[in-house]
Amino acid sequence: MITSKYGEKQPLLQSDKYATYDANFDTTGSKDPLKRKSSFDPSRRVTLSWHNIEVFVKPQRGRFACCSDHSEIRDCKQLLHGVSGVAKPGQLLAIMGASGAGKTTLLNVLTNKNLRLLDVMGEVLVNGQNVGESIVNQSAYVQQDDLFIGTLKVIEHLTFQAMVRMDKHISYSEKMKRVDQVILELGLTKCRDTLIGITGSLKGISGGEAKRLAFASEVLTNPALMFCDEPTSGLDSFMSQNVVQVLRDMAEGGRTIVCTIHQPSSETFELFDNLLLLAEGKIAYQGLASKALEFFERAGLKCPMNYNPADFYIHNLAIVPGKEAESKQKVAEICKLFERESQSRVERTVSTTPSFHNTNTKSTSRYKASWITQFRAVMWRCWIGRIREPMVTKAQIIQSVVMGLLLGLVYLNQKYDQNGIQNFNGALFLVLMNVTFQNVYTVINSFTFEQAIFLREHWNGMYRTDIYFLCKTIAETPVITISAALMVTIIYWMTGFNPDWRAFLYYLLIMVLISLTGASFGYMMSAASPSYNVALSITTPLVMPMVLFGGFYLNAGSIPVYFVWIKYLSWLYYGNEALVINQWSSITNITCFTEGCQSTGKEVLAGLSFNEDNFFFDIGMLVVLMVFYRLLAFMALLVKSSRKT
């Protein structure tokens, strides 16, 4: 026997642990799952239930649970009040309510996401079992925002998803068969080979096709349970109906589908099997969608003829500005009426245990694919994304060639005299700076632009952080190397630097290392910044000290002792010293017009406080700094990916 929150003594049957909460719910599964061709195995059907869910916002003074302590419960804002419900296989359940009613909060509780700042009481059960955080592995979650790599085609996107989301024991051919099957089921055949597209820059598939593609990505693993957050957001009424029809078809195949939706059209509303209305964090109605009008009539609210029922429900459950007291009273009366009507037939349980305690102690990897498979798939996607952006690659190459020609013309055919010393050194440092800034700002958007996609896919267990970082940096290395080599080669021979071919090869090696180290610094800023604009605003102030202590604007021997540590973090210092040594160490005859001038390359090095013996040390330090900044970038990305909301 248990005591309900209403004071009644009621028996709790094992088979009723996840029983329906309203007689209006269709427990027989009125849709025949076999009447449509579906790849879902009916034997895998699941029932999702949630019992007495109460959600509080944690006080700002602490992040640990406090609202479970009734002495402090008044300090917390309550978002959900004893919400219970059930979603059964073969049914499409819609959660509706006005803004602030608690739809998103309830969905977050059911999916065990975005609960870091909340205290949750109650239970969420799958087939009567508290699966805890593993519900993420047993369900699919189609979020409101459709996030894709726009340079991929539909078939390529689904191929990638299949490679990283389907179990490793499934062969490649079987995965591709599943991709073809999902494309057919969700009506994506027409746009199979179409680019997904990027809003404002690359034309692609329509909004409805993008939403179906989001469903396809989740259905690949054949989940028995699906959650959808506002699946019709941003779509017109026709496309909204089309998308909900897709959900209805998937539910008819035997899946359990729960979605939140905001004021659907009347045609779209007719597609829902069951309805859960929330108001002020409480249940206003739950049951068959077709019986909701009868309930509201019993509450004294009759829907006008030819009026959208969904609009009618939301209008009567909304808190109208200027009429808050009146609206809240009406909402309270509706919720009390439903509570009274359901009290006699609904089994309500009170759980005093914290929610989401996983009873399954078996340790399993959160990743479906092996490390090698993840690496191959992510590397393939990164490479395709890179070659599908020809304008970006062409812009880098053209910029390098143009800058090489421009600087080459400025410093054309320099002579080895007193004026040439300054010109050669100025050209070396100017090229060094150009290579640095070009590559820092080329890669600064590498992680910021795809941050939302990376975090979502990583948290969904698709691939590891180290794999994503390696693939992104490896895929961009060829363009960085080629563009830097083109520019510096043009400048080298036009300016008339040291004609020794070995000096040219060292010069080319040093410049490539400088470009890669500059890119490493850019990766670090990109990974550590929350957005592209923030990365832009903080990068320049941090690069300028590296430039200042690079040995050109300030003599290396006169750097203040309290700033000397910056010199050792500056790749421009090591690069400049190595380039100057490479240029002047073998020069023995410099035309001298005045007494006391520098007549050899060794005198030039001495005047700049550069040590010829540091040449290979400088090259080694460029490699060290390249690795160092990339490690910092990876650590920043790792911290960001581990900070799950």
Side-chain angles (χ1 to χ4, degrees):
M1 300 288 289
I2 64 168
T3 303
S4 75
K5 64 183 291 185
Y6 305 101
E8 295 180 337
K9 297 291 185 177
Q10 299 177 338
L12 175 60
L13 302 178
Q14 180 66 27
S15 61
D16 290 336
K17 180 80 173 181
Y18 48 95
T20 180
Y21 292 96
D22 194 315
N24 286 332
F25 271 106
D26 181 5
T27 60
T28 63
S30 59
K31 311 298 183 299
D32 181 3
L34 300 179
K35 75 177 184 178
R36 289 182 52 86
K37 183 178 180 180
S38 174
S39 59
F40 181 71
D41 182 4
S43 65
R44 296 176 53 239
R45 293 182 175 189
V46 301
T47 296
L48 173 74
S49 62
W50 52 100
H51 303 253
N52 200 29
I53 300 297
E54 296 191 353
V55 178
F56 303 86
V57 177
K58 292 180 181 179
Q60 295 183 356
R61 64 175 178 270
R63 296 178 58 181
F64 296 98
C66 71
C67 296
S68 56
D69 185 352
H70 293 284
S71 64
E72 300 185 21
I73 199 168
R74 293 182 180 179
D75 296 335
C76 304
K77 178 182 178 181
Q78 188 167 2
L79 302 180
L80 293 179
H81 304 259
V83 176
S84 300
V86 65
K88 286 190 167 290
Q91 299 176 352
L92 174 57
L93 170 64
I95 302 176
M96 292 177 56
S99 298
K103 304 186 299 297
T104 300
T105 301
L106 177 59
L107 195 65
N108 288 339
V109 172
L110 298 181
T111 57
N112 197 26
K113 293 178 180 290
N114 304 319
L115 302 178
R116 184 168 56 92
L117 301 179
L118 301 176
D119 276 317
V120 181
M121 301 174 63
E123 286 184 317
V124 177
L125 308 177
V126 175
N127 285 347
Q129 299 296 319
N130 191 334
V131 295
E133 293 184 357
S134 64
I135 194 172
V136 176
N137 300 325
Q138 301 181 22
S139 62
Y141 184 21
V142 181
Q143 301 189 43
Q144 181 175 350
D145 299 325
D146 300 325
L147 299 177
F148 303 110
I149 303 296
T151 52
L152 295 181
K153 296 178 181 178
V154 169
I155 180 64
E156 292 169 343
H157 170 79
L158 290 177
T159 299
F160 171 79
Q161 296 284 320
M163 294 301 296
V164 296
R165 301 185 74 162
M166 299 181 72
D167 290 333
K168 62 182 71 177
H169 68 269
I170 301 176
S171 67
Y172 178 79
S173 60
E174 290 176 320
K175 291 178 180 178
M176 294 305 100
K177 288 180 181 178
R178 178 60 184 157
V179 168
D180 292 335
Q181 192 176 40
V182 168
I183 288 177
L184 185 62
E185 287 181 1
L186 293 178
L188 294 171
T189 305
K190 182 180 178 181
C191 61
R192 174 190 179 98
D193 296 312
T194 304
L195 291 177
I196 297 174
I198 303 173
T199 303
S201 60
L202 182 62
K203 186 177 180 180
I205 59 179
S206 67
E209 290 170 334
K211 185 60 68 175
R212 294 203 302 272
L213 180 59
F215 294 150
S217 303
E218 300 298 333
V219 173
L220 274 173
T221 56
N222 235 336
L225 176 61
M226 285 189 66
F227 300 97
C228 302
D229 184 16
E230 299 283 357
T232 61
S233 178
L235 302 178
D236 57 39
S237 59
F238 174 78
M239 293 309 303
S240 297
Q241 183 180 355
N242 183 278
V243 166
V244 175
Q245 183 65 57
V246 171
L247 290 176
R248 174 74 173 263
D249 294 341
M250 288 192 291
E252 287 181 348
R255 293 183 177 88
T256 303
I257 300 182
V258 180
C259 73
T260 60
I261 194 164
H262 184 69
Q263 290 187 263
S265 65
S266 56
E267 292 84 358
T268 302
F269 183 77
E270 288 295 322
L271 296 174
F272 296 119
D273 297 303
N274 292 313
L275 178 65
L276 172 58
L277 293 175
L278 292 176
E280 295 287 284
K282 300 177 181 178
I283 299 177
Y285 172 81
Q286 61 173 322
L288 290 174
S290 59
K291 298 292 184 69
L293 284 177
E294 297 177 9
F295 168 76
F296 274 81
E297 286 182 4
R298 293 194 296 272
L301 301 169
K302 184 174 178 60
C303 181
M305 292 291 293
N306 301 321
Y307 197 88
N308 184 357
D311 291 339
F312 174 73
Y313 303 143
I314 300 300
H315 177 76
N316 283 284
L317 296 176
I319 305 302
V320 181
K323 299 181 180 180
E324 286 84 357
E326 179 182 344
S327 300
K328 289 183 178 181
Q329 182 180 357
K330 180 168 67 172
V331 167
E333 291 175 354
I334 295 174
C335 294
K336 288 180 180 179
L337 175 62
F338 175 78
E339 189 175 283
R340 288 195 303 269
E341 289 191 356
S342 59
Q343 184 173 352
S344 60
R345 62 177 180 267
V346 176
E347 170 98 5
R348 294 186 183 265
T349 63
V350 177
S351 175
T352 57
T353 59
S355 61
F356 304 128
H357 281 281
N358 192 353
T359 57
N360 183 10
T361 58
K362 184 179 179 180
S363 176
T364 58
S365 173
R366 58 180 297 206
Y367 304 106
K368 295 292 184 66
S370 64
W371 194 96
I372 294 296
T373 301
Q374 292 177 42
F375 180 84
R376 289 176 58 189
V378 177
M379 189 70 224
W380 172 74
R381 187 177 72 170
C382 289
W383 184 246
I384 286 181
R386 189 67 189 178
I387 63 178
R388 289 273 172 79
E389 293 182 339
M391 291 304 297
V392 176
T393 303
K394 288 180 181 178
Q396 286 183 249
I397 300 298
I398 292 174
Q399 178 186 359
S400 298
V401 173
V402 170
M403 287 302 301
L405 292 173
L406 179 61
L407 294 178
L409 290 173
V410 171
Y411 293 99
L412 186 63
N413 294 327
Q414 292 296 313
K415 297 180 180 180
Y416 283 85
D417 54 22
Q418 299 307 300
N419 293 330
I421 295 175
Q422 180 180 355
N423 293 341
F424 278 124
N425 291 341
L428 286 174
F429 197 77
L430 189 59
V431 175
L432 187 153
M433 284 183 56
N434 194 280
V435 168
T436 291
F437 279 99
Q438 176 179 333
N439 289 287
V440 166
Y441 288 102
T442 293
V443 305
I444 204 170
N445 63 353
S446 292
F447 300 116
T448 53
F449 277 4
E450 294 183 7
Q451 177 175 290
I453 298 176
F454 158 67
L455 292 178
R456 178 180 294 185
E457 293 180 341
H458 171 70
W459 290 340
N460 287 339
M462 294 172 61
Y463 49 77
R464 301 162 54 96
T465 303
D466 56 337
I467 288 176
Y468 178 74
F469 180 82
L470 284 173
C471 292
K472 285 290 292 183
T473 54
I474 292 173
E476 293 175 349
T477 297
V479 176
I480 292 174
T481 303
I482 292 172
S483 59
L486 278 175
M487 181 176 66
V488 300
T489 299
I490 293 172
I491 295 174
Y492 192 90
W493 297 112
M494 289 184 69
T495 302
F497 285 115
N498 194 328
D500 186 356
W501 65 270
R502 288 173 297 183
F504 168 71
L505 293 179
Y506 276 126
Y507 165 87
L508 193 60
L509 171 65
I510 294 167
M511 283 298 185
V512 169
L513 288 176
I514 290 170
S515 65
L516 293 175
T517 307
S520 299
F521 189 85
Y523 287 133
M524 181 184 71
M525 302 310 301
S526 181
S529 302
S531 67
Y532 177 66
N533 290 333
V534 172
L536 279 179
S537 63
I538 64 177
T539 297
T540 300
L542 292 177
V543 171
M544 291 313 296
M546 307 294 179
V547 175
L548 180 61
F549 297 107
F552 182 79
Y553 295 106
L554 188 66
N555 189 284
S558 60
I559 297 177
V561 65
Y562 44 83
F563 280 139
V564 72
W565 59 274
I566 300 179
K567 178 182 73 172
Y568 299 121
L569 294 177
S570 173
W571 63 95
L572 287 93
Y573 168 75
Y574 297 109
N576 186 39
E577 184 177 45
L579 287 172
V580 171
I581 293 172
N582 182 65
Q583 168 62 24
W584 296 109
S585 61
S586 61
I587 302 299
T588 58
N589 184 21
I590 300 176
T591 303
C592 187
F593 301 111
T594 60
E595 185 178 351
C597 63
Q598 297 169 334
S599 58
T600 64
K602 295 186 182 297
E603 294 179 358
V604 173
L605 295 177
L608 295 172
S609 299
F610 287 156
N611 188 346
E612 188 176 349
D613 296 333
N614 289 341
F615 180 69
F616 290 106
F617 172 78
D618 290 334
I619 294 177
M621 286 304 299
L622 287 175
V623 176
V624 169
L625 286 178
M626 178 182 66
V627 175
F628 173 70
Y629 286 123
R630 295 202 180 205
L631 284 176
L632 290 181
F634 172 68
M635 291 173 62
L637 196 65
L638 192 64
V639 170
K640 189 179 293 184
S641 64
S642 64
R643 196 184 302 136
K644 187 173 181 179
T645 56

